[in-house]
């Protein structure tokens, strides 16, 4: 049984690419089975974890992230859902012929590659599909051209995402400092996290160096600790969400990986000198 879309909230199509904003519903105990001949990218705007998990070919389970890529002609099966659930997806469906103009990767997918498919972490792809969803919901001037451009960017970024997997980042410092390219990849990795902050060990594993080496080289290069940088980014994300959305503090604290809204509020005040509510009120005056 495939996941059932019971509501199409928005739809926009250009040659080779179909954008939909869909609401899916499934019941506790249901298993989802899908086999698509198109390449599909899905994004869940609301980050709460769903209870269904993909069953990989070797039997392991992989939780679905917010951003998910489903390769063409690859069967996807899930374990049984634990709960009755409703989830919204922005779906970008790429015609296989269109996508393969960019995609040069293999059609044989390992467990490791599929795990990365079902929980992608790439800020540029996430931002692009969010814009596609907004364009489908509220088309503007030259919408078809905008959709074609964003879809092409996404296809290229997906190809790079899996190409980079074959060439893992191996940082080698010079005079104890990180190169700008290595720093940019670390920054992007940190920014890609939602609902929790990456640990020093997470980042060190990405860089293929020890946690101690990462701490020293990051501080020598940037003048701040990794923890200080992560907290700085969380503050900027919090300020953006407070200024640009009407999300309640509970939702913002969840998105930023805080245990609860009171912890978020006290951390925000300590970092910025004002409460989240005070910042939102002041910014909007």
């Amino acid at each position: 049984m495939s996941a059932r879309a019971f509501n199409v909230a928005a739809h926009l199509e250009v040659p080779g690419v179909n954008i939909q904003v869909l609401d899916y519903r499934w019941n506790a105990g249901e298993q989802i089975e899908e086999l698509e001949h198109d390449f599909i990218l899905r994004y869940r705007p609301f980050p709460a974890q769903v209870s269904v998990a993909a069953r990989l070919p070797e039997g392991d389970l992989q939780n679905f992230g917010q951003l998910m890529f489903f390769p063409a002609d690859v069967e996807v099966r899930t374990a049984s859902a634990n709960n009755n659930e409703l989830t919204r997806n922005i779906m970008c469906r790429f015609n296989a012929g269109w996508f393969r103009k960019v995609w040069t990767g293999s059609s044989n997918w390992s467990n490791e590659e599929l795990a990365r498919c079902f929980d992608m972490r790439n800020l540029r792809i996430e931002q692009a599909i969010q814009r596609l969803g907004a364009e489908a919901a509220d088309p503007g001037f030259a919408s078809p051209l905008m959709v074609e451009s964003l879809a092409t960017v996404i296809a290229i970024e997906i190809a790079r995402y899996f190409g980079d997997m074959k060439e893992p980042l191996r940082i080698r410092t010079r005079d104890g400092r990180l190169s700008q390219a290595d720093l940019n990849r670390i920054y992007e990795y940190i920014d890609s996290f939602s609902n929790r902050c990456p640990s020093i060990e997470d980042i060190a594993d990405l860089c293929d160096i020890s946690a101690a080496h990462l701490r020293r080289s990051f501080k020598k290069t940037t003048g701040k600790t990794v923890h200080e940088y992560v907290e700085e980014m969380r503050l900027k994300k919090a300020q953006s969400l407070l200024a640009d959305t009407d999300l309640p503090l509970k939702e913002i604290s969840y998105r930023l990986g805080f245990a609860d809204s009171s912890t978020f509020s006290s951390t925000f005040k300590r970092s910025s000198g004002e409460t989240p509510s005070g910042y939102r009120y002041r910014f909007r005056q």
Side-chain angles (χ1 to χ4, degrees):
M1 174 180 293
S2 63
R4 297 171 305 206
F6 76 95
N7 178 49
V8 180
H11 174 241
L12 191 58
E13 188 169 3
V14 298
V17 182
N18 186 321
I19 311 300
Q20 290 182 301
V21 181
L22 299 165
D23 294 315
Y24 287 100
R25 175 181 288 150
W26 58 82
N27 300 319
E30 270 189 77
Q31 292 178 297
I32 299 168
E33 298 179 9
E34 291 185 336
L35 177 62
E36 298 280 359
H37 299 303
D38 295 327
F39 290 84
I40 296 174
L41 183 70
R42 290 189 173 104
Y43 175 73
R44 293 187 295 109
F46 307 107
Q49 180 64 52
V50 294
S51 71
V52 289
R55 192 173 293 282
L56 300 174
E58 295 177 13
D60 297 333
L61 293 179
Q62 169 64 46
N63 288 330
F64 290 109
Q66 274 190 271
L67 186 66
M68 302 155 280
F69 177 61
F70 299 85
D73 301 315
V74 173
E75 185 175 37
V76 178
R77 295 173 179 264
T78 73
S80 299
N82 294 329
N83 307 304
N84 297 333
E85 289 185 305
L86 168 66
T87 183
R88 170 160 287 196
N89 279 196
I90 302 170
M91 184 181 75
C92 183
R93 179 185 289 271
F94 300 96
N95 173 272
W98 185 97
F99 194 81
R100 287 193 174 103
K101 293 177 182 177
V102 174
W103 176 257
T104 58
S106 169
S107 58
N108 297 316
W109 294 82
S110 68
N111 262 29
E112 183 183 4
E113 288 169 326
L114 287 175
R116 279 174 57 96
C117 282
F118 301 148
D119 185 12
M120 294 186 77
R121 295 188 181 180
N122 184 290
L123 188 62
R124 290 188 294 268
I125 297 175
E126 184 176 325
Q127 290 173 335
I129 196 169
Q130 285 176 325
R131 292 188 65 188
L132 283 177
E135 200 67 32
D138 185 20
F141 172 73
S143 276
L145 182 59
M146 175 66 78
V147 169
E148 289 174 3
S149 300
L150 288 169
T152 301
V153 167
I154 287 174
I156 293 169
E157 290 291 350
I158 290 173
R160 288 181 174 180
Y161 177 83
F162 288 103
D164 289 345
M165 182 183 178
K166 297 180 177 65
E167 299 175 5
L169 177 61
R170 295 183 182 275
I171 283 182
R172 296 293 179 265
T173 55
R174 178 174 296 178
D175 298 326
R177 297 178 185 273
L178 300 167
S179 71
Q180 189 59 52
D182 289 338
L183 266 181
N184 288 342
R185 289 184 69 177
I186 292 171
Y187 291 159
E188 182 179 318
Y189 180 71
I190 292 171
D191 288 347
S192 72
F193 276 74
S194 60
N195 309 337
R196 76 177 183 90
C197 287
S199 66
I200 291 287
E201 289 71 23
D202 288 331
I203 304 168
D205 286 345
L206 169 79
C207 302
D208 193 31
I209 58 177
S210 69
H213 187 175
L214 172 66
R215 289 189 182 96
R216 289 193 301 270
S217 57
F218 192 93
K219 178 69 180 290
K220 187 168 185 178
T221 306
T222 67
K224 63 185 71 171
T225 67
V226 178
H227 176 75
E228 287 170 343
Y229 176 78
V230 169
E231 289 304 300
E232 184 180 299
M233 290 302 100
R234 282 217 290 185
L235 176 63
K236 288 182 179 179
K237 288 182 180 181
Q239 290 173 329
S240 177
L241 290 169
L242 289 166
D244 299 335
T245 76
D246 293 316
L247 290 171
L249 297 188
K250 182 178 180 180
E251 176 64 20
I252 293 176
S253 64
Y254 174 79
R255 290 191 180 195
L256 297 177
F258 289 94
D260 50 50
S261 55
S262 62
T263 303
F264 164 60
S265 295
S266 60
T267 303
F268 187 94
K269 185 174 183 179
R270 185 172 62 250
S271 299
S272 68
E274 58 187 327
T275 66
S277 298
Y279 177 86
R280 176 174 269 170
Y281 178 81
R282 180 176 63 80
F283 189 89
R284 295 188 177 188
Q285 294 305 301

